[in-house]
Amino acid sequence: MIELENVAYSYGGGDLLSDISLRLQPGSFHFLTGPSGAGKSTFLKLCYMELTASAGMVQVFGQDVRSLERDQVALARRRIGVVHQDCKFLDHLTVAENIALPLTVAGRDVAAEMENLTSLIDWVGLKRQQNQLPPELSGGERQRAALARAVIMGPDVILADEPTGNVDWEMSQRLLSLLIELNKMGKSVLVATHDLNLIRTAKSQISARVLRIANRKLQLAGADL
């Protein structure tokens, strides 16, 4: 689904990532760890084509991203749901309208999708908050709204950048449960996190590979995690 082969990314005159290779298979679950500044967010941005590799090849759904036109990139991105670390919303729109925004941008009839939208909002536990404005939400509610917005288009891949970084342990568990449920539905999930306890909890419930970025390289983390 997403494949990186001998990928490097340079920033500020030096390599931030070097000789990175990974294949995300359908239905797989991966965690990505590493110290702050190691390049976890950069790695995710390469996966969803916000950044272009300095060297090597990135393939998304069987297509070399270097050969894609702008409209083809936009179509491919609709198959990738992204939960950013700093989830941003349009504060003048309600929670429901923010979650539905990808449908609007794609030119789809939101009214015709209302049943699915309502079910999704209920699934993430925001039925009571759906008519509120984003500034009224707690950190955990914002993260759940961000996850709902990321999956509203029915993507094949979910990429989450520190989705539990600003919430307490109980909310971390709730968000993890949602990601695991998405994976059991057949979605490929890649979560960048520094929370080793979260990873240990997940590994007790599902089969997940743990990757680590350190010294510009990507490697399989030790079994002691």
Side-chain angles (χ1 to χ4, degrees), residues 9-24:
Y9 182 77
S10 300
Y11 178 78
D15 282 349
L16 179 59
L17 298 174
S18 177
D19 196 27
I20 299 287
S21 295
L22 177 68
R23 179 178 296 176
L24 293 182

Side-chain angles (χ1 to χ4, degrees), residues 31 169 173 176 180 184 196-210 225:
F31 283 102
W169 178 245
Q173 294 295 288
L176 176 62
I180 289 175
K184 289 179 178 178
L196 299 185
N197 286 328
L198 187 77
I199 295 174
R200 294 185 187 105
T201 300
K203 289 181 69 177
S204 70
Q205 301 176 51
I206 58 169
S207 176
R209 294 184 71 198
V210 183
L225 276 178

Side-chain angles (χ1 to χ4, degrees), residues 18 46 71 75 119 147 174 199 215-216 224:
S18 177
L46 290 168
D71 59 337
L75 287 173
S119 296
L147 179 57
R174 187 165 185 177
I199 295 174
N215 300 318
R216 303 184 298 280
D224 55 336

Side-chain angles (χ1 to χ4, degrees), residues 120-179:
L120 179 58
I121 290 172
D122 188 44
W123 178 69
V124 295
L126 292 176
K127 185 175 182 179
R128 187 167 52 84
Q129 296 89 348
Q130 62 182 324
N131 293 318
Q132 294 180 359
L133 297 176
E136 302 173 60
L137 300 180
S138 68
E141 289 167 347
R142 289 177 69 87
Q143 287 299 100
R144 282 181 281 152
L147 179 57
R149 183 176 59 186
V151 303
I152 187 68
M153 295 287 288
D156 300 302
V157 180
I158 312 296
L159 305 176
D161 190 0
E162 298 284 2
T164 64
N166 298 315
V167 299
D168 60 26
W169 178 245
E170 182 179 352
M171 185 53 64
S172 294
Q173 294 295 288
R174 187 165 185 177
L175 289 164
L176 176 62
S177 294
L178 293 173
L179 289 166

Side-chain angles (χ1 to χ4, degrees), residues 44-58:
L44 294 184
K45 289 177 180 179
L46 290 168
C47 289
Y48 62 82
M49 299 168 288
E50 182 174 323
L51 295 176
T52 302
S54 307
M57 181 182 66
V58 179

